[in-house]
């Protein structure tokens, strides 16, 4: 606890202070960063600012966004989910294998697609539930538990696919995944945006969201207030798993085949989106609006780098640097800094 | 003074590995009574509090509420039974607002379908939280402020206010006047006495012996996990109480 008497809120605030406050807001800063970045890439390569490139960025954005939403909930509870990339890969191939075998068995297309989707999502859910179980029952630290499922999930994906792409399945899949409306939107992308809207509302307005913040803000106080902390944590990791499953299905619809390596490194992108968006890794503080901007920044950087001719192998290096930079920036106490500047 | 026993711990022990934090402790709380629970650091006060509130399960011993043997699997069970606890140093979620903290775990949902979907009624919680805090004699303006922006004294006031708002039988305050100035401490004592007048039992833990002597009806002294004294406050003087706590007295 801090000093008992002083009240930090009653400081007088002039106009310049208010402007400073607006620019101290995380989302405003992020929006500026995004605009500067788009301008930079457009100057370097005008192709960047075309609806074709935008459609591509949005297609890359969707799975990262799904993983990053789950990551946001998890990080808000004070945890981390390293398994999401792995879960994406595993879900993508189980979905693809299900559809392939149903298709060759002569099932109707609609049923094939629905069952495939369900299998993909359930695969993600299973990974999430295993994480929740390891963390709340076996009492493993989230970092270790999800590192274990990252490894196990990636391994399992290679085992069941024998390391090769799962091609085949209904051709309608790739049509649905790539038919664009209004130049940039696809049906799966629209669904992702709906999921985003729903989970945004849930985080900001529902009891589930409130408990998510409370658990990360002070686990002991949350438990003391009667919140079933363990059950809530299991639900949050399950949600992250389901979203990874959806992301796997999304990637399958986009590519038309299940790639055993499609999830590799995706957890990095999701964590980057979340920490660039201002989420505190200690839990309890941050907003989904920040994560959305963080995911946009991450995916535009990746596309932009390719468009200006940077070799794809540099991508993970850049994402790693972004994560380190964003977390380092969080350590800077801007209020303290401003005080130092104004008081000489 | 009503002398009906509302809450009782019988022979409660707690061990952490080889450490015996609490050793066959007995404690009775009556309605309309403030008990002072005192003892040196590490005497086992917080451990007893956590057992009474369901945050820990006793290694042995029983708890009786209104004469009925009860077992709490989590704090939620004890809260449900009307026992409110302010834990030492960790009562609130700093990232949440004042009203969110007052209603934590007891959120009011919107009426109708939206409520069934789990959507919060922010407005009603804000209004009721302010009313509740005012009724408890605690005025903290700006219920939508994040608790992390409050001073230590204000936080403590909110935590106590929340406990008083919800307590139906018993309220347990573990070092509530820690970190508080003289005036704020006096307010806490006043709030405790009001809770007692409303028929609640109160357990008050403090190292500030003048506060304990002034506000309580009975004093229970813990030493190395054992209850070594349990007597009306009027039988103690500042000197004698200090001697009992430090183990220099016979009784
Ligand atoms: N969770 C725990 N694990 C291990 N030892 C504990 C734990 N909680 C308390 N203790 C030990 O139990 C004893 C009593 O502690 P506590 O109840 O906090 O005392 P008090 O509140 O009177 O200062 C101390 O020796 C303390 O180190
Ligand atoms: Mg203590």
């Amino acid at each position: 606890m801090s000093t008992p008497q002083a009240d930090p809120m009653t400081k007088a605030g002039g106009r310049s202070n208010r402007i400073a406050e607006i620019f101290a807001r995380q989302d405003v800063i992020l929006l500026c960063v995004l605009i500067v970045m788009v301008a930079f890439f457009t100057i370097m390569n005008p192709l960047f600012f075309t609806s074709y490139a935008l459609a591509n960025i949005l297609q890359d954005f969707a799975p990262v966004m799904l993983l990053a939403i789950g990551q946001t909930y998890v990080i808000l509870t004070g945890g981390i989910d390293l398994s999401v990339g792995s879960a994406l890969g595993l879900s993508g191939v189980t979905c693809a294998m299900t559809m392939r075998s149903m298709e060759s068995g002569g099932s109707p297309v609609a049923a094939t697609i629905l069952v495939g989707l369900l299998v993909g999502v359930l695969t993600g859910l299973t990974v999430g539930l295993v994480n929740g179980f390891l963390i709340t029952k076996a009492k493993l630290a989230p970092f270790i538990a999800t590192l274990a499922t990252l490894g196990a999930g990636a391994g399992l994906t290679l085992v069941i696919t024998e390391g090769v792409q799962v091609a085949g399945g209904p051709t309608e899949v790739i049509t649905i995944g790539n038919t664009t409306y209004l130049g940039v939107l696809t049906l799966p992308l629209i669904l992702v945006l709906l999921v985003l809207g729903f989970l945004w509302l849930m985080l900001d307005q529902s009891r589930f969201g409130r408990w998510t913040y409370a658990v990360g803000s002070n686990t002991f106080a949350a438990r003391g207030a009667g919140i079933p902390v363990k059950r809530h944590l299991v639900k949050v990791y399950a949600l992250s798993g389901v979203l990874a499953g959806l992301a796997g299905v999304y990637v399958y619809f986009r590519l038309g085949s299940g790639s055993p390596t499609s999830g590799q490194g995706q957890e990095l992108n999701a964590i980057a989106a979340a920490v660039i968006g201002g989420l505190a890794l200690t839990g309890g503080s941050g907003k989904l609006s920040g994560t959305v901007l963080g995911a946009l920044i991450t995916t535009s950087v990746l596309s932009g780098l390719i468009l200006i001719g940077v070799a794809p192998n540099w991508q993970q290096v850049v994402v790693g640097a972004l994560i380190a930079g964003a977390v380092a920036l969080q350590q800077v106490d801007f209020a303290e800094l401003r005080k130092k500047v104004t008081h000489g | 003074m009503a002398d009906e026993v509302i809450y009782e711990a019988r022979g409660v022990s707690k061990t952490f590995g080889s450490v015996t934090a609490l050793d066959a402790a007995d404690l009775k709380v009556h309605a309309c009574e403030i008990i002072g629970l005192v003892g040196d650091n590490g005497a086992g006060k917080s451990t007893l509090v956590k057992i009474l509130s369901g945050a820990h399960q006793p290694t042995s011993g029983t708890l009786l509420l209104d004469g009925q043997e009860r077992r709490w699997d989590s704090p939620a069970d004890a809260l449900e039974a009307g026992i409110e606890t302010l834990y030492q140093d960790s009562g609130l979620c700093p990232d949440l607002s004042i009203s969110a903290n007052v209603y934590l775990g007891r959120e009011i949902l919107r009426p109708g379908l939206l409520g069934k979907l789990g959507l919060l009624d922010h407005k009603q919680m804000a209004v009721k939280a302010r009313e509740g805090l005012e009724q408890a004699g605690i005025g903290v303006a700006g219920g939508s402020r994040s608790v992390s922006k409050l001073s230590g004294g204000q936080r403590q006031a909110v935590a106590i206010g929340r406990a008083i708002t919800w307590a139906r039988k018993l309220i347990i305050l573990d070092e509530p006047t820690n970190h508080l100035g003289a005036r704020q401490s006096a307010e806490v004592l006043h709030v405790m006495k009001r809770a007692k007048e409303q028929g609640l039992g109160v357990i008050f833990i403090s190292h500030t012996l003048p506060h304990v002597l002034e506000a309580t009806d009975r004093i229970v002294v813990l030493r190395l996990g054992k209850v070594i004294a349990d007597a009306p406050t009027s039988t103690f003087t500042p000197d004698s109480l200090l001697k009992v706590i430090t183990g220099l007295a016979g009784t």
Side-chain angles (χ1 to χ4, degrees):
Chain A
M1 282 200 197
S2 52
T3 53
Q5 314 289 349
D7 182 356
M9 287 303 287
T10 50
K11 261 186 303 184
R15 170 164 303 179
S16 65
N17 229 336
R18 222 164 297 148
I19 292 170
E21 245 163 53
I22 289 176
F23 278 96
R25 278 188 51 184
Q26 189 91 22
D27 33 6
V28 176
I29 297 176
L30 288 173
L31 204 57
C32 295
V33 169
L34 187 61
I35 291 168
V36 169
M37 232 180 48
V38 168
F40 171 76
F41 283 124
T42 309
I43 292 167
M44 298 295 285
N45 183 348
L47 270 183
F48 188 83
F49 207 71
T50 57
S51 73
Y52 174 75
L54 180 62
N56 256 319
I57 290 177
L58 284 177
Q59 286 274 35
D60 288 341
F61 163 79
V64 172
M65 189 67 242
L66 286 172
L67 300 185
I69 298 169
Q71 205 65 243
T72 300
Y73 275 83
V74 167
I75 290 178
L76 280 175
T77 67
I80 189 115
D81 189 349
L82 300 176
S83 72
V84 289
S86 229
L88 181 158
L90 186 59
S91 310
V93 301
T94 58
C95 167
M97 291 171 91
T98 307
M99 289 210 204
R100 185 176 62 183
S101 73
M102 281 182 74
E103 140 114 326
S104 58
S107 303
V109 175
T112 304
I113 288 179
L114 275 181
V115 174
L117 197 150
L118 201 66
V119 167
V121 170
L122 285 178
T123 304
L125 173 65
T126 308
V127 176
L129 286 174
V130 170
N131 286 335
F133 175 81
L134 290 176
I135 291 161
T136 59
K137 290 281 183 330
K139 303 215 157 58
L140 297 187
F143 174 79
I144 297 300
T146 59
L147 186 63
T149 47
L150 178 159
L156 204 56
T157 308
L158 289 175
V159 170
I160 62 175
T161 59
E162 291 170 337
V164 291
Q165 294 244 338
V166 185
T171 52
E172 283 83 354
V173 163
I174 200 158
T175 315
I176 294 174
N178 290 279
T179 309
T180 54
Y181 307 93
L182 304 172
V184 291
L185 293 173
T186 62
L187 187 61
L189 184 56
I190 293 169
L191 291 178
V192 169
L193 294 178
L194 287 176
V195 168
L196 169 62
F198 177 79
L199 292 173
W200 194 330
L201 188 74
M202 185 158 108
L203 188 59
D204 274 0
Q205 299 294 328
S206 81
R207 181 168 60 189
F208 189 88
R210 166 95 18 118
W211 287 7
T212 302
Y213 278 96
V215 167
S217 185
N218 184 346
T219 307
F220 190 74
R223 200 168 108 82
I227 293 173
V229 171
K230 286 185 180 172
R231 206 185 327 147
H232 191 77
L233 283 175
V234 171
K235 287 182 190 168
V236 167
Y237 283 91
L239 172 68
S240 180
V242 165
L243 289 167
L246 277 177
V249 173
Y250 183 96
V251 172
Y252 172 60
F253 268 77
R254 186 171 179 206
L255 304 176
S257 66
S259 158
T261 55
S262 62
Q264 269 175 19
Q266 289 293 336
E267 65 282 344
L268 268 187
N269 294 342
I271 293 169
V275 298
I276 291 170
L279 241 59
L281 288 173
T282 45
S285 125
K287 291 186 149 181
L288 195 53
S289 56
T291 303
V292 173
L293 288 167
L296 278 173
I297 290 175
T298 310
T299 41
S300 330
V301 167
L302 294 179
S303 312
L305 288 177
I306 291 174
L307 274 179
I308 64 173
V310 176
N313 288 343
W314 281 96
Q315 288 197 349
Q316 295 214 352
V317 179
V318 172
V319 175
L322 282 178
I323 293 179
V327 175
L329 265 183
Q330 283 186 8
Q331 314 300 319
V332 181
D333 189 339
F334 285 105
E336 199 54 36
L337 207 65
R338 211 180 316 148
K339 230 184 265 166
K340 266 191 202 141
V341 172
T342 47
H343 296 295
Chain B
M1 190 185 295
D3 41 17
E4 136 209 23
V5 176
I6 42 178
Y7 198 31
E8 182 177 356
R10 263 191 214 157
V12 168
S13 299
K14 179 75 181 176
T15 54
F16 296 103
S18 61
V19 180
T20 302
L22 209 57
D23 189 0
D26 292 318
L27 184 76
K28 274 185 192 166
V29 192
H30 301 80
C32 308
E33 178 184 46
I34 302 179
I35 291 188
L37 184 58
V38 296
D40 249 343
N41 280 328
K45 305 181 296 291
S46 293
T47 303
L48 180 55
V49 163
K50 286 176 186 167
I51 288 172
L52 294 174
S53 71
H56 281 336
Q57 279 70 48
T59 312
S60 63
T62 50
L63 301 174
L64 296 99
L65 185 69
D66 293 327
Q68 304 265 351
E69 193 172 325
R70 301 295 290 267
R71 194 194 134 79
W72 319 126
D73 288 323
S74 75
D77 294 346
L79 289 171
E80 186 123 342
I83 299 165
E84 240 358 93
T85 304
L86 170 63
Y87 298 97
Q88 184 174 11
D89 285 336
S90 61
L92 302 173
C93 290
D95 300 288
L96 300 184
S97 70
I98 294 174
S99 57
N101 267 287
V102 171
Y103 274 88
L104 194 61
R106 297 174 164 115
E107 289 80 4
I108 303 180
L109 300 180
R110 292 211 212 161
L113 184 66
L114 291 178
K116 290 229 167 62
L117 290 173
L119 291 196
L120 300 169
D121 192 335
H122 296 285
K123 243 187 231 153
Q124 209 186 336
M125 282 193 277
V127 170
K128 286 201 169 173
R130 204 185 56 230
E131 280 174 11
L133 290 179
E134 269 167 14
Q135 240 170 38
I138 290 157
V140 180
S144 60
R145 265 194 291 170
S146 154
V147 163
S148 62
K149 303 247 161 70
L150 300 180
S151 69
Q154 289 172 320
R155 286 184 201 201
Q156 202 65 316
V158 171
I160 295 169
R162 177 177 78 175
I164 295 209
T165 304
W166 295 111
R168 296 195 319 279
K169 290 195 175 298
L170 182 71
I171 172 163
I172 306 172
L173 303 167
D174 194 352
E175 306 204 14
T177 54
N178 237 1
H179 314 289
L180 295 192
R183 208 199 71 219
Q184 287 158 319
S185 296
E187 272 167 25
V188 170
L189 300 187
H190 179 69
V191 166
M192 266 181 0
K193 286 177 192 160
R194 278 180 52 163
K196 161 187 157 176
E197 279 157 18
Q198 285 162 20
L200 297 175
V202 180
I203 299 178
F204 171 52
I205 294 162
S206 176
H207 285 293
T208 316
L209 299 185
H211 289 167
V212 175
L213 288 164
E214 185 217 314
T216 65
D217 303 300
R218 200 150 55 82
I219 294 178
V220 175
V221 185
L222 273 177
R223 186 167 170 72
L224 302 173
K226 287 193 169 76
V227 173
I228 54 164
D230 181 344
T233 303
S234 53
T235 62
F236 291 97
T237 64
D239 251 11
S240 72
L241 181 57
L242 189 63
K243 278 193 178 133
V244 178
I245 291 171
T246 51
L248 295 175
T251 26

